[in-house]
Amino acid sequence: MIDGNESSSKVMTAKEAIARFVHDGDCLALGGFVTNRRPYALVWEILRQGRKNLYLEGGSSGGDIDMLIGAGCVTAMSVSYIANSGFTMVCRRFREAVEEGSLLFEDFSIDVHTIAYHGAALGFPYVPIKNMLGSDLAEKWGISEDERKCHPKLPPQKFILQDDPFHPGETLCCVPTPHLDVACIHVQQASPDGTCRIVGPGFQDIDIAMAATHTIVSCEQLVGDEEIRRHPERNSLTGLCVSAVVPLAYGAHPSQCFACYDYDAEFYRRYDSVSRKQADFDAFISDVLHQCTDHDDYLDWIGASTLLGLRVDAGYGYVAGLKRN
Protein backbone atom coordinates (compact mmCIF):
# COMPACT_ATOMS: atom_id res chain seq x y z
CA MET A 1 0.00 0.00 0.00
CA ILE A 2 1.21 3.52 -0.80
CA ASP A 3 1.12 5.74 2.24
CA GLY A 4 0.75 9.52 2.21
CA ASN A 5 -2.16 11.90 1.81
CA GLU A 6 -4.37 10.60 -0.99
CA SER A 7 -5.75 14.08 -1.72
CA SER A 8 -2.26 15.34 -2.59
CA SER A 9 -1.48 12.41 -4.90
CA LYS A 10 -0.31 13.30 -8.39
CA VAL A 11 -0.45 9.72 -9.62
CA MET A 12 -2.06 9.35 -13.05
CA THR A 13 -1.99 7.02 -16.01
CA ALA A 14 0.09 8.00 -19.01
CA LYS A 15 -3.11 8.61 -20.94
CA GLU A 16 -4.43 10.97 -18.28
CA ALA A 17 -1.14 12.87 -17.88
CA ILE A 18 -0.55 13.45 -21.59
CA ALA A 19 -4.19 14.42 -22.21
CA ARG A 20 -4.11 16.92 -19.38
CA PHE A 21 -0.71 18.55 -19.80
CA VAL A 22 0.56 18.10 -23.39
CA HIS A 23 -1.21 20.12 -26.07
CA ASP A 24 -0.72 20.88 -29.73
CA GLY A 25 1.77 23.70 -30.17
CA ASP A 26 3.52 23.17 -26.82
CA CYS A 27 7.24 23.56 -26.22
CA LEU A 28 8.24 20.13 -24.95
CA ALA A 29 11.51 18.98 -23.38
CA LEU A 30 12.48 15.33 -22.99
CA GLY A 31 14.93 14.06 -20.40
CA GLY A 32 17.64 11.43 -20.50
CA PHE A 33 20.66 11.17 -22.76
CA VAL A 34 20.71 9.46 -26.19
CA THR A 35 20.12 5.79 -25.18
CA ASN A 36 19.92 6.41 -21.46
CA ARG A 37 16.76 6.89 -19.39
CA ARG A 38 14.67 8.36 -22.20
CA PRO A 39 10.90 8.73 -21.45
CA TYR A 40 9.84 6.40 -24.27
CA ALA A 41 6.57 5.24 -22.68
CA LEU A 42 5.36 8.84 -22.39
CA VAL A 43 6.41 9.50 -25.99
CA TRP A 44 4.41 6.48 -27.19
CA GLU A 45 1.37 7.99 -25.46
CA ILE A 46 1.99 11.34 -27.17
CA LEU A 47 1.97 9.42 -30.47
CA ARG A 48 -1.26 7.63 -29.53
CA GLN A 49 -2.95 10.94 -28.80
CA GLY A 50 -1.67 12.46 -32.03
CA ARG A 51 -0.15 15.67 -30.69
CA LYS A 52 1.04 18.03 -33.44
CA ASN A 53 3.03 21.23 -33.98
CA LEU A 54 5.38 20.56 -31.06
CA TYR A 55 8.49 22.63 -30.40
CA LEU A 56 11.08 20.25 -29.00
CA GLU A 57 14.03 20.81 -26.71
CA GLY A 58 16.24 17.79 -26.40
CA GLY A 59 19.89 18.51 -25.70
CA SER A 60 21.60 15.21 -26.53
CA SER A 61 18.63 13.28 -27.82
CA GLY A 62 17.63 9.82 -28.94
CA GLY A 63 15.17 7.75 -30.89
CA ASP A 64 12.13 8.93 -28.93
CA ILE A 65 12.47 12.36 -30.50
CA ASP A 66 13.19 10.73 -33.87
CA MET A 67 9.85 8.92 -33.61
CA LEU A 68 8.01 12.18 -32.93
CA ILE A 69 9.69 13.77 -35.94
CA GLY A 70 8.94 10.83 -38.22
CA ALA A 71 5.30 10.82 -37.11
CA GLY A 72 4.93 14.47 -38.13
CA CYS A 73 4.43 15.76 -34.58
CA VAL A 74 7.26 18.32 -34.61
CA THR A 75 7.43 21.79 -36.15
CA ALA A 76 10.78 22.90 -34.77
CA MET A 77 13.49 21.63 -32.50
CA SER A 78 16.62 22.77 -30.76
CA VAL A 79 19.15 20.00 -30.29
CA SER A 80 22.86 19.38 -30.00
CA TYR A 81 22.94 15.70 -30.97
CA ILE A 82 20.36 13.06 -31.85
CA ALA A 83 21.34 9.41 -32.27
CA ASN A 84 20.88 5.86 -31.11
CA SER A 85 24.60 5.56 -30.50
CA GLY A 86 26.13 2.29 -31.60
CA PHE A 87 23.22 1.62 -33.94
CA THR A 88 22.31 4.85 -35.73
CA MET A 89 24.89 7.61 -35.41
CA VAL A 90 22.45 10.27 -36.66
CA CYS A 91 18.76 9.42 -36.29
CA ARG A 92 17.32 8.86 -39.75
CA ARG A 93 13.90 10.54 -39.61
CA PHE A 94 15.56 13.60 -38.10
CA ARG A 95 18.27 13.68 -40.77
CA GLU A 96 15.85 13.34 -43.66
CA ALA A 97 13.55 16.03 -42.25
CA VAL A 98 16.47 18.47 -41.90
CA GLU A 99 17.84 17.67 -45.37
CA GLU A 100 14.40 18.09 -46.97
CA GLY A 101 13.69 21.28 -45.04
CA SER A 102 10.48 19.96 -43.48
CA LEU A 103 11.76 20.56 -39.93
CA LEU A 104 12.86 23.87 -38.45
CA PHE A 105 16.10 23.06 -36.70
CA GLU A 106 18.56 25.01 -34.58
CA ASP A 107 21.95 23.62 -33.60
CA PHE A 108 23.84 24.33 -30.39
CA SER A 109 26.77 22.61 -28.72
CA ILE A 110 26.06 20.13 -25.93
CA ASP A 111 27.58 22.32 -23.24
CA VAL A 112 25.56 25.35 -24.33
CA HIS A 113 22.32 23.41 -24.04
CA THR A 114 23.31 22.32 -20.54
CA ILE A 115 23.99 25.91 -19.51
CA ALA A 116 20.77 27.19 -21.15
CA TYR A 117 18.60 24.62 -19.37
CA HIS A 118 20.20 25.48 -16.06
CA GLY A 119 19.57 29.16 -16.75
CA ALA A 120 15.94 28.37 -17.52
CA ALA A 121 15.65 26.51 -14.22
CA LEU A 122 16.94 29.61 -12.43
CA GLY A 123 14.47 31.84 -14.27
CA PHE A 124 17.07 33.66 -16.37
CA PRO A 125 15.90 35.03 -19.75
CA TYR A 126 19.28 34.27 -21.30
CA VAL A 127 22.75 32.99 -20.42
CA PRO A 128 26.04 34.64 -21.44
CA ILE A 129 28.54 32.12 -22.75
CA LYS A 130 31.77 31.87 -24.71
CA ASN A 131 31.49 28.22 -25.67
CA MET A 132 30.38 28.66 -29.31
CA LEU A 133 32.58 31.62 -30.15
CA GLY A 134 35.11 30.84 -32.87
CA SER A 135 32.99 28.08 -34.39
CA ASP A 136 30.36 27.94 -37.14
CA LEU A 137 27.73 27.56 -34.44
CA ALA A 138 28.25 31.23 -33.60
CA GLU A 139 27.92 32.29 -37.24
CA LYS A 140 25.21 30.14 -38.79
CA TRP A 141 21.53 30.06 -37.95
CA GLY A 142 19.33 27.08 -38.75
CA ILE A 143 16.18 29.20 -38.34
CA SER A 144 16.28 32.73 -39.76
CA GLU A 145 15.14 35.80 -37.88
CA ASP A 146 12.27 36.27 -40.36
CA GLU A 147 11.12 32.66 -39.89
CA ARG A 148 11.22 33.06 -36.14
CA LYS A 149 8.70 35.89 -36.36
CA CYS A 150 6.13 33.33 -37.52
CA HIS A 151 6.61 31.14 -34.44
CA PRO A 152 5.87 32.75 -31.04
CA LYS A 153 7.30 29.69 -29.28
CA LEU A 154 10.74 30.44 -30.72
CA PRO A 155 13.01 33.20 -29.38
CA PRO A 156 13.31 36.05 -31.90
CA GLN A 157 17.05 35.42 -32.33
CA LYS A 158 19.34 32.42 -31.95
CA PHE A 159 21.72 34.56 -29.87
CA ILE A 160 23.12 38.08 -29.54
CA LEU A 161 26.82 38.90 -29.49
CA GLN A 162 27.77 41.74 -27.17
CA ASP A 163 30.74 43.16 -25.31
CA ASP A 164 31.47 41.79 -21.87
CA PRO A 165 30.52 44.69 -19.55
CA PHE A 166 33.06 43.60 -16.93
CA HIS A 167 35.96 42.88 -19.32
CA PRO A 168 36.06 45.50 -22.09
CA GLY A 169 37.25 44.14 -25.41
CA GLU A 170 35.93 40.63 -24.80
CA THR A 171 32.82 39.23 -26.47
CA LEU A 172 29.95 37.24 -25.01
CA CYS A 173 27.38 35.13 -26.80
CA CYS A 174 24.00 35.67 -25.13
CA VAL A 175 21.79 32.63 -25.70
CA PRO A 176 18.06 32.80 -24.85
CA THR A 177 16.78 30.19 -22.42
CA PRO A 178 13.79 28.08 -23.53
CA HIS A 179 10.29 28.68 -22.22
CA LEU A 180 9.15 25.11 -21.60
CA ASP A 181 5.48 24.26 -21.39
CA VAL A 182 6.09 20.62 -20.49
CA ALA A 183 9.01 18.41 -19.50
CA CYS A 184 8.86 14.61 -19.57
CA ILE A 185 11.43 12.65 -17.59
CA HIS A 186 11.82 9.05 -16.44
CA VAL A 187 13.22 8.20 -12.99
CA GLN A 188 13.89 5.12 -10.91
CA GLN A 189 11.61 6.07 -8.00
CA ALA A 190 8.91 8.63 -7.31
CA SER A 191 6.30 9.14 -4.62
CA PRO A 192 2.66 10.20 -5.02
CA ASP A 193 3.49 13.79 -4.06
CA GLY A 194 6.02 13.98 -6.92
CA THR A 195 9.30 13.64 -5.02
CA CYS A 196 11.75 11.93 -7.39
CA ARG A 197 14.87 9.87 -6.95
CA ILE A 198 17.29 9.53 -9.88
CA VAL A 199 20.00 6.91 -9.50
CA GLY A 200 23.11 7.51 -11.58
CA PRO A 201 23.65 10.44 -13.96
CA GLY A 202 20.97 13.14 -13.81
CA PHE A 203 21.74 14.70 -17.22
CA GLN A 204 19.55 17.79 -17.84
CA ASP A 205 16.47 16.28 -16.20
CA ILE A 206 16.40 18.31 -13.00
CA ASP A 207 16.87 21.59 -14.85
CA ILE A 208 14.14 21.00 -17.43
CA ALA A 209 11.81 19.75 -14.70
CA MET A 210 12.35 22.94 -12.71
CA ALA A 211 12.06 25.16 -15.77
CA ALA A 212 8.85 23.71 -17.24
CA THR A 213 5.34 24.90 -16.43
CA HIS A 214 4.33 21.26 -16.07
CA THR A 215 6.54 18.21 -15.53
CA ILE A 216 5.37 14.66 -16.13
CA VAL A 217 7.46 12.01 -14.37
CA SER A 218 7.28 8.34 -15.26
CA CYS A 219 8.91 6.02 -12.75
CA GLU A 220 10.07 2.45 -12.42
CA GLN A 221 8.74 2.22 -8.88
CA LEU A 222 6.11 4.17 -6.99
CA VAL A 223 7.02 4.41 -3.30
CA GLY A 224 5.20 6.00 -0.39
CA ASP A 225 5.61 9.68 0.46
CA GLU A 226 6.84 8.82 3.93
CA GLU A 227 9.17 6.14 2.66
CA ILE A 228 10.92 8.40 0.15
CA ARG A 229 11.41 11.03 2.86
CA ARG A 230 13.34 8.61 5.07
CA HIS A 231 16.47 9.37 3.03
CA PRO A 232 16.06 12.91 1.69
CA GLU A 233 19.74 13.04 0.74
CA ARG A 234 19.01 10.48 -1.99
CA ASN A 235 16.21 12.48 -3.57
CA SER A 236 16.78 14.50 -6.73
CA LEU A 237 13.66 16.57 -7.37
CA THR A 238 11.01 18.07 -5.14
CA GLY A 239 7.37 17.37 -5.83
CA LEU A 240 6.82 21.14 -6.09
CA CYS A 241 8.13 20.87 -9.65
CA VAL A 242 6.01 17.85 -10.66
CA SER A 243 2.49 17.90 -12.08
CA ALA A 244 2.00 14.17 -12.70
CA VAL A 245 3.56 10.91 -11.55
CA VAL A 246 3.06 7.93 -13.85
CA PRO A 247 4.15 4.49 -12.61
CA LEU A 248 5.61 2.73 -15.68
CA ALA A 249 7.98 -0.17 -15.16
CA TYR A 250 10.37 -0.34 -18.13
CA GLY A 251 9.12 3.14 -19.03
CA ALA A 252 12.49 4.00 -20.59
CA HIS A 253 12.63 0.92 -22.85
CA PRO A 254 14.38 0.49 -25.28
CA SER A 255 16.89 2.83 -23.60
CA GLN A 256 18.68 1.81 -20.43
CA CYS A 257 17.75 2.78 -16.89
CA PHE A 258 20.72 2.68 -14.54
CA ALA A 259 20.54 -0.02 -11.83
CA CYS A 260 17.36 -1.41 -13.40
CA TYR A 261 17.89 -2.62 -16.96
CA ASP A 262 20.20 -2.26 -19.96
CA TYR A 263 19.24 -0.98 -23.39
CA ASP A 264 17.51 -3.30 -25.85
CA ALA A 265 20.07 -3.77 -28.62
CA GLU A 266 17.71 -5.87 -30.74
CA PHE A 267 15.05 -3.14 -30.66
CA TYR A 268 17.61 -0.52 -31.68
CA ARG A 269 18.82 -2.70 -34.56
CA ARG A 270 15.25 -3.10 -35.74
CA TYR A 271 14.55 0.61 -35.43
CA ASP A 272 17.71 1.41 -37.39
CA SER A 273 16.31 -0.71 -40.22
CA VAL A 274 12.69 0.47 -40.23
CA SER A 275 13.60 4.15 -39.86
CA ARG A 276 15.65 4.23 -43.07
CA LYS A 277 12.57 4.90 -45.22
CA GLN A 278 9.48 6.86 -44.27
CA ALA A 279 7.09 4.17 -45.52
CA ASP A 280 8.76 1.48 -43.41
CA PHE A 281 8.78 3.80 -40.41
CA ASP A 282 5.07 4.59 -40.85
CA ALA A 283 4.24 0.89 -41.01
CA PHE A 284 6.29 0.17 -37.89
CA ILE A 285 4.70 2.94 -35.81
CA SER A 286 1.21 2.04 -37.03
CA ASP A 287 1.77 -1.62 -36.16
CA VAL A 288 3.01 -0.85 -32.64
CA LEU A 289 0.19 1.59 -31.92
CA HIS A 290 -2.38 -0.88 -33.28
CA GLN A 291 -1.11 -3.70 -31.06
CA CYS A 292 -0.28 -1.59 -28.01
CA THR A 293 -3.12 0.57 -26.75
CA ASP A 294 -1.21 1.24 -23.53
CA HIS A 295 2.10 0.48 -21.83
CA ASP A 296 0.96 -2.91 -20.53
CA ASP A 297 0.26 -3.98 -24.11
CA TYR A 298 3.67 -2.67 -25.09
CA LEU A 299 5.41 -4.79 -22.45
CA ASP A 300 3.49 -7.85 -23.68
CA TRP A 301 4.57 -7.00 -27.22
CA ILE A 302 8.24 -6.80 -26.22
CA GLY A 303 7.95 -10.05 -24.29
CA ALA A 304 8.78 -11.18 -20.76
CA SER A 305 11.91 -13.11 -21.78
CA THR A 306 13.37 -10.05 -23.52
CA LEU A 307 12.63 -7.75 -20.60
CA LEU A 308 14.01 -10.17 -18.03
CA GLY A 309 17.14 -10.56 -20.13
CA LEU A 310 17.75 -6.82 -19.84
CA ARG A 311 17.79 -6.75 -16.02
CA VAL A 312 21.22 -5.54 -14.92
CA ASP A 313 23.76 -7.86 -13.32
CA ALA A 314 24.31 -7.16 -9.65
CA GLY A 315 27.55 -5.30 -9.06
CA TYR A 316 27.85 -4.15 -12.67
CA GLY A 317 24.91 -1.87 -13.35
CA TYR A 318 24.58 -3.34 -16.85
CA VAL A 319 24.17 -6.73 -18.56
CA ALA A 320 27.65 -8.19 -18.80
CA GLY A 321 26.90 -10.56 -21.68
CA LEU A 322 24.70 -8.26 -23.80
CA LYS A 323 25.45 -8.27 -27.52
CA ARG A 324 25.95 -4.57 -28.20
CA ASN A 325 26.34 -4.36 -31.99
Side-chain angles (χ1 to χ4, degrees), residues 88 92 268-277 280:
T88 310
R92 301 184 187 280
Y268 279 127
R269 280 191 286 269
R270 181 179 182 185
Y271 186 78
D272 176 66
S273 176
V274 301
S275 63
R276 290 170 184 262
K277 296 181 179 180
D280 292 339

Side-chain angles (χ1 to χ4, degrees), residues 229-284:
R229 292 172 188 153
R230 295 183 196 279
H231 293 282
E233 75 282 1
R234 300 178 186 175
N235 297 333
S236 309
L237 181 67
T238 171
L240 296 174
C241 302
V242 175
S243 298
V245 175
V246 184
L248 291 169
Y250 288 96
H253 179 276
S255 65
Q256 61 189 280
C257 185
F258 183 77
C260 295
Y261 47 87
D262 215 321
Y263 61 71
D264 189 338
E266 182 56 39
F267 186 102
Y268 279 127
R269 280 191 286 269
R270 181 179 182 185
Y271 186 78
D272 176 66
S273 176
V274 301
S275 63
R276 290 170 184 262
K277 296 181 179 180
Q278 185 67 43
D280 292 339
F281 170 86
D282 291 342
F284 171 75

Side-chain angles (χ1 to χ4, degrees), residues 68-82:
L68 290 171
I69 293 170
C73 303
V74 184
T75 294
M77 70 176 299
S78 172
V79 72
S80 52
Y81 179 64
I82 176 169

